[in-house]
Amino acid sequence: MKRIPCLIFTLCLLASGSIWAENTDGQSAANTSTELQPISFAQWDGILEKQLGKITVVDFWAAWCSPCIERFPHMVEMHHKYKDRGVRFISLNLDEQGDKESIDWANDFLERIKAVFPNYHMDENMTEAFERLDLLGLPAVRIYATDGTETHRLSGDNPYQQFTEKDVENAVQNLLIQ
Amino acid sequence: MRFFKLIVPVLLTALLIAPAATIAGEYNMVMSIGDPLPVFENTPTTDGGTLSSADLEESVVVLVSLANHCPWVRGMDAGLVELVEQFKGQDVRVVGFAVNHRDDDRLPAMKEHALMSGYNFTYMYDESQDLGRKLGATRTPEYFVFNADRKLVYMGLLTNSPARKTRSGEISFINGDPVAFHVANAIAATLAGEAVDPAETRAHGCTLEYE
């Protein structure tokens, strides 16, 4: 059931004949800033569409999520390890819309750990964001192959199937050797 | 012959997909509405005792996953205490449970938190994480309401507007003042022998940390 929205999204992209391209503006911004960029649902769809040609790792997180904060430095490590091998890292922050206190904290955190890849803040109602993105909890990681297909959906949604940072790295390595 | 060549793969595919679509709830990968209350035994509680599922005699039993450290639990604490108060004297039992192994969520911290937050219900520590797993609980807070037959009739949010305790100590409701009181409605409907609607909502909060 939970894969249906993803499937529909992928099919819509294929049907529309969208051509994903390198987001050169986003790339240059990523190299110079760690600051969260507020985005809407429509903008988020556009950002995903622009990653075609790269393996893309998306980390969903929030300042209120302790495991997210604990795991985030691993994303930064992986970014440095794989950035020159065609792997793109993106974070999507899901703190409350208009919650300046949390967003300021998140920006300080991103700067402190030098998260020099594109960091976005979903500037939408949180309930709608979790529904629209088909998220139950955080942290969650989704990985997309070079053709835009979602290949891995890692989350804590099943108590019998939790994920670790190692699972994220294994998934990236598996995609790289394909 | 050609028909069978076409239909067999379709049927096989349908058989493979069908269990995945119906095996659990819409937002819960383990439990479905109508599933029985998982058995738990001699689970330690913050009052120094233990609780087993066999001890529960009330017509309605509410289990709620909690974690002391979680801002969504701290934000909802007052609402939970109010819920228990609302059904005081009725045949309802509310039981909170924690599963995390981090120090600030373990039993000693639970005792402090229960005292500080005025918890008026049993709060137990599922250290084995067995109950949490069997319930498919993955977020805090997440509510599970069972009827007199100990069948699940509701799971998900307390209300339509989860509340978070901010870093500066304020309570922030993400959808404004709550207008839909899902758990209270589920309890009232079950006590009245009526169906619960909605029976499932998307719980929102911190992710439980299973070892």
Side-chain angles (χ1 to χ4, degrees):
Chain A
M1 284 291 276
K2 294 176 172 62
R3 291 182 181 139
I4 289 173
C6 164
L7 184 64
I8 292 169
F9 173 68
T10 307
L11 287 172
C12 286
L13 282 179
L14 291 172
S16 67
S18 300
I19 297 172
W20 291 17
E22 182 67 42
N23 178 5
T24 49
D25 291 336
Q27 189 74 54
S28 61
N31 290 337
T32 56
S33 173
T34 61
E35 194 167 338
L36 288 170
Q37 301 169 53
I39 53 163
S40 64
F41 291 135
Q43 286 172 313
W44 175 244
D45 291 343
I47 287 162
L48 282 181
E49 287 173 23
K50 287 175 183 168
Q51 308 310 317
L52 190 66
K54 284 184 178 288
I55 293 166
T56 304
V57 180
V58 180
D59 185 20
F60 299 86
W61 72 292
W64 47 260
C65 167
S66 301
C68 300
I69 306 302
E70 290 161 14
R71 290 179 181 207
F72 209 115
H74 183 248
M75 282 290 161
V76 179
E77 281 174 31
M78 283 202 297
H79 162 71
H80 290 298
K81 190 171 173 181
Y82 295 104
K83 67 180 178 182
D84 297 327
R85 297 175 64 186
V87 183
R88 187 84 186 269
F89 287 82
I90 293 174
S91 85
L92 182 61
N93 169 279
L94 288 154
D95 276 302
E96 207 169 332
Q97 188 179 29
D99 178 8
K100 189 176 179 306
E101 183 184 43
S102 294
I103 293 165
D104 286 349
W105 188 94
N107 274 322
D108 287 345
F109 170 73
L110 292 171
E111 188 177 6
R112 195 165 63 246
I113 63 167
K114 298 182 172 55
V116 285
F117 44 75
N119 298 295
Y120 300 101
H121 165 64
M122 185 53 78
D123 193 19
E124 301 273 8
N125 173 274
M126 197 188 289
T127 300
E128 287 177 30
F130 273 71
E131 286 172 2
R132 174 99 176 224
L133 298 166
D134 196 23
L135 286 167
L136 292 182
L138 302 177
V141 173
R142 289 181 191 166
I143 303 174
Y144 300 84
T146 53
D147 65 355
T149 306
E150 183 187 301
T151 57
H152 296 80
R153 186 172 281 215
L154 304 167
S155 72
D157 297 347
N158 186 338
Y160 295 99
Q161 198 177 350
Q162 302 286 288
F163 81 99
T164 66
E165 294 96 322
K166 189 67 190 163
D167 295 319
V168 179
E169 188 148 7
N170 286 344
V172 168
Q173 286 176 346
N174 285 339
L175 282 174
L176 280 171
I177 59 174
Q178 280 176 11
Chain B
M1 198 61 191
R2 191 175 171 188
F3 170 77
F4 285 107
K5 276 184 183 172
L6 281 171
I7 200 73
V8 168
V10 171
L11 285 174
L12 284 174
T13 307
L15 282 170
L16 285 171
I17 293 170
T22 57
I23 201 166
E26 190 174 359
Y27 308 119
N28 187 308
M29 297 202 173
V30 179
M31 287 284 275
S32 298
I33 297 300
D35 281 353
L37 172 71
V39 171
F40 57 91
E41 290 182 325
N42 302 318
T43 307
T45 57
T46 54
D47 61 6
T50 63
L51 185 70
S52 301
S53 50
D55 299 333
L56 302 168
E57 296 175 343
E58 291 77 5
S59 295
V60 177
V61 169
V62 181
L63 296 182
V64 52
S65 59
L66 301 171
N68 305 323
H69 85 276
C70 175
W72 298 99
V73 169
R74 290 171 175 255
M76 176 232 52
D77 272 341
L80 174 53
V81 167
E82 200 177 302
L83 177 84
V84 176
E85 197 62 34
Q86 183 182 344
F87 290 96
K88 194 175 178 179
Q90 298 189 55
D91 205 14
V92 177
R93 178 77 178 268
V94 176
V95 177
F97 68 95
V99 309
N100 287 349
H101 288 181
R102 44 190 294 166
D103 286 345
D104 49 356
D105 285 343
R106 282 182 173 273
L107 195 55
M110 288 167 59
K111 290 178 180 176
E112 282 179 31
H113 184 79
L115 198 63
M116 183 185 73
S117 304
Y119 277 5
N120 48 0
F121 53 89
T122 304
Y123 188 19
M124 61 185 186
Y125 186 41
D126 173 30
E127 187 170 12
S128 71
Q129 305 189 319
D130 190 48
L131 174 63
R133 281 198 177 91
K134 286 177 177 169
L135 283 168
T138 56
R139 285 142 291 162
T140 57
E142 188 172 356
Y143 287 79
F144 299 85
V145 181
F146 294 87
N147 66 14
D149 297 327
R150 297 297 177 259
K151 302 291 186 191
L152 184 67
V153 294
Y154 173 80
M155 57 180 164
L157 294 163
L158 176 66
T159 73
N160 69 303
S161 188
R164 178 176 58 92
K165 192 166 193 178
T166 66
R167 289 175 186 276
S168 53
E170 292 171 3
I171 304 296
S172 175
F173 290 87
I174 60 175
N175 295 318
D177 289 340
V179 294
F181 298 87
H182 300 304
V183 177
N185 290 344
I187 295 171
T190 306
L191 285 172
E194 297 167 357
V196 176
D197 183 26
E200 188 176 359
T201 55
R202 186 189 292 263
H204 182 89
C206 306
T207 297
L208 285 173
E209 298 165 31
Y210 289 100
E211 304 295 326

